[in-house]
Amino acid sequence: MNRKIPFHIPSIGEEEIAELVDTLRNGWLTTGPKTKQFEKDFAAFVGAKHAVAVNSATSGLHLALEALGVRAGDEVIIPTYTFTATGEVVTYLGARPVLADVRRDTFNLDATTIEPLITPRTKAIIPVHVAGQMCDMDPILELARRHDLRVLDDAAHTLPATYKGRSVGTMGDASVFSFYATKTITTGEGGMVTTDREDLASRMRQMSLHGLSGNAWNRYGDKGSWYYEVLEFGFKYNMTDIAAALGIHQLRRCDGFWKKRRDVASAYNAAFGALDTCVTPPLAEHTTHSWHLYILQLRLEALSKGRDEILRILGERGIRTSVHFIPLHFHPAYQRAFGYTVGMFPVSEEIFAGTVSLPIYPDMKEEDVAYVIDTVRETLAESRR
Ligand SMILES: *Cc1c(COP(=O)(O)O)cnc(C)c1O
């Protein structure tokens, strides 16, 4: 009777396994032909001029900010309602993450919450497309143009998605994707930065491999030479061919995965939309949703139990859930370093208080989805005020 529904299961097919075995057999394990192929395929998939493969989205965010010229003393505006990766990379460069509140309806940053935070030190904005639904980009891009700010979008949740018919990964200066194990496609660990700017792409390629001269991975190939120069103090952020072997096939299955997640989301929306104890995820105009996360909002005023208690009961009934996100200004590191305190961002705090992320992934069976629906409905019905 009691089923066990994990929060996420990656969907790995025979093609990924065969490609991985091929990589292991041919002996080229680090950045090489498979990484180049994955970059080419990814750039074509989103329609960007360049794609730079890296070993995580966190590395990609760091590289992109560095390439955009963010330096010590600069300020970068980010939402408080995000994962710490978005903020920690700003501190890597000695710059300051300036937190902004988000919209109640979309959970996303928007131009009106960003504008009052702009100072002469502001260098860049990192919009995060929360759960996989894109921010309203046009007003953000317009604001950035007016104030001469760079825009780097954190698209860790957002493959695939569109805004006004344009694909994610083609707006602003650069966009960063994550292939962490729970994201919409995975390489175990990995990330990709897309950009139309040649200068950014070549800076990121160089800095991702120790700041070496030239196309450093070629140095190990047939035509390579032993000579290199260290032009900058770079990082070690390159993607391995082991990871790329997975990525090439995950990308080909990306739209298929999306359709399955969309079906799960539709079933959840139909079931939960009618309840007065919760609110289904907001659907913004002009965007499609990647459905990386399905974030249900509990209407705490209609419930006799708190969110944490409800999550505990769902856990006992075999449903693994998560909470996205604990706002950055709740965390000791952000409070200590930048003086943030609870109470400063009321919208994010209200969202956080009632938020529950439900399982959503392509390999969920219909019975699994039905079980989640029945169990959530039953648990909320028992918890009515
Ligand atoms: C997962 C995630 C990241 C970091 O991705 P990694 O590939 O694990 O470094 C960054 N931003 C957001 C919003 C994320 O959810």
Side-chain angles (χ1 to χ4, degrees):
M1 157 92 221
N2 231 12
R3 307 174 75 95
K4 290 240 180 305
I5 318 282
F7 181 65
H8 183 80
I9 303 174
S11 191
I12 303 293
E14 289 306 318
E15 300 92 328
E16 284 91 325
I17 292 168
E19 193 79 42
L20 187 60
V21 169
D22 180 63
T23 306
L24 298 176
R25 287 202 199 287
N26 79 27
W28 191 290
L29 304 185
T30 185
T31 311
K34 301 225 161 141
T35 305
K36 294 296 132 187
Q37 167 91 48
F38 186 32
E39 288 180 334
K40 197 163 151 270
D41 294 352
F42 198 93
F45 186 88
V46 300
K49 286 210 180 88
H50 308 278
V52 179
V54 286
N55 61 5
S56 73
T58 307
S59 314
L61 288 164
H62 182 198
L63 274 180
L65 286 180
E66 198 280 338
L68 286 168
V70 172
R71 296 293 178 265
D74 289 342
E75 295 176 355
V76 177
I77 298 175
I78 68 170
T80 188
Y81 188 66
T82 185
F83 183 57
T84 188
T86 318
E88 74 188 33
V89 294
V90 177
T91 73
Y92 292 176
L93 294 157
R96 180 186 176 92
V98 174
L99 304 183
D101 213 344
V102 296
R103 292 173 63 107
R104 186 70 183 92
D105 54 354
T106 60
F107 313 157
N108 277 337
L109 206 65
D110 85 348
T112 63
T113 61
I114 295 166
E115 187 155 27
L117 301 171
I118 295 173
T119 75
R121 289 171 178 271
T122 309
K123 184 84 189 190
I125 304 165
I126 309 182
V128 179
H129 310 300
V130 171
Q133 177 158 258
M134 293 192 66
C135 299
D136 191 5
M137 289 301 285
D138 280 345
I140 294 174
L141 293 169
E142 167 55 26
L143 181 70
R145 244 188 315 272
R146 243 186 307 128
H147 293 270
D148 191 27
L149 305 177
R150 310 283 80 78
V151 177
L152 167 64
D153 52 337
D154 180 336
H157 297 179
T158 328
L159 191 74
T162 60
Y163 170 73
K164 298 187 178 172
R166 287 173 277 166
S167 170
V168 64
T170 60
M171 282 158 267
D173 293 281
S175 308
V176 180
F177 297 85
S178 173
F179 312 131
Y180 180 67
T182 61
K183 301 286 159 81
T184 57
I185 68 170
T186 187
T187 60
E189 298 280 359
M192 192 74 79
V193 191
T194 60
T195 181
D196 281 349
R197 285 178 52 179
E198 169 66 34
D199 61 326
L200 290 184
S202 68
R203 175 76 182 182
M204 291 190 290
R205 284 190 197 289
Q206 180 181 49
M207 294 302 277
S208 71
L209 252 190
H210 304 295
L212 302 187
S213 57
N215 199 348
W217 73 272
N218 265 339
R219 148 174 105 80
Y220 302 106
D222 293 341
K223 297 189 200 71
S225 100
W226 57 270
Y227 186 74
Y228 59 88
E229 288 178 357
V230 178
L231 300 178
E232 301 286 346
F233 297 109
F235 314 105
K236 187 62 167 64
Y237 283 169
N238 55 305
M239 176 177 275
T240 65
D241 266 23
I242 298 173
L246 300 178
I248 289 166
H249 294 281
Q250 288 274 297
L251 186 65
R252 289 179 193 163
R253 301 170 67 203
C254 181
D255 286 327
F257 289 162
W258 174 74
K259 290 196 179 93
K260 293 199 171 157
R261 288 193 308 276
R262 184 199 53 188
D263 290 347
V264 175
S266 303
Y268 284 167
N269 282 339
F272 304 135
L275 304 183
D276 61 2
T277 44
C278 63
V279 181
T280 54
L283 292 175
E285 271 182 79
H286 310 306
T287 71
T288 59
H289 201 310
S290 78
W291 294 114
H292 164 54
L293 297 175
Y294 187 92
I295 300 182
L296 194 67
Q297 287 272 298
L298 302 181
R299 290 191 55 236
L300 297 171
E301 66 280 10
L303 294 163
S304 60
K305 298 191 182 88
R307 187 268 315 275
D308 299 356
E309 176 70 1
I310 288 171
L311 290 192
R312 195 186 56 73
I313 297 168
L314 290 175
E316 278 174 9
R317 295 173 177 177
I319 297 175
R320 297 299 297 266
T321 55
S322 189
V323 168
H324 296 91
F325 289 96
I326 307 169
L328 296 183
H329 68 286
F330 279 49
H331 294 293
Y334 288 85
Q335 296 180 348
R336 193 175 59 235
F338 306 112
Y340 288 113
T341 54
V342 174
M344 292 176 79
F345 302 99
V347 179
S348 297
E349 292 174 27
E350 193 185 318
I351 296 169
F352 167 59
T355 198
V356 176
S357 294
L358 297 178
I360 182 166
Y361 42 92
D363 288 353
M364 271 184 96
K365 298 185 187 63
E366 262 176 56
E367 312 90 85
D368 297 337
V369 176
Y371 182 73
V372 172
I373 288 172
D374 290 346
T375 310
V376 169
R377 263 203 195 124
E378 184 183 295
T379 305
L380 292 180
E382 289 164 9
S383 312
R384 290 181 69 87
R385 193 176 280 287

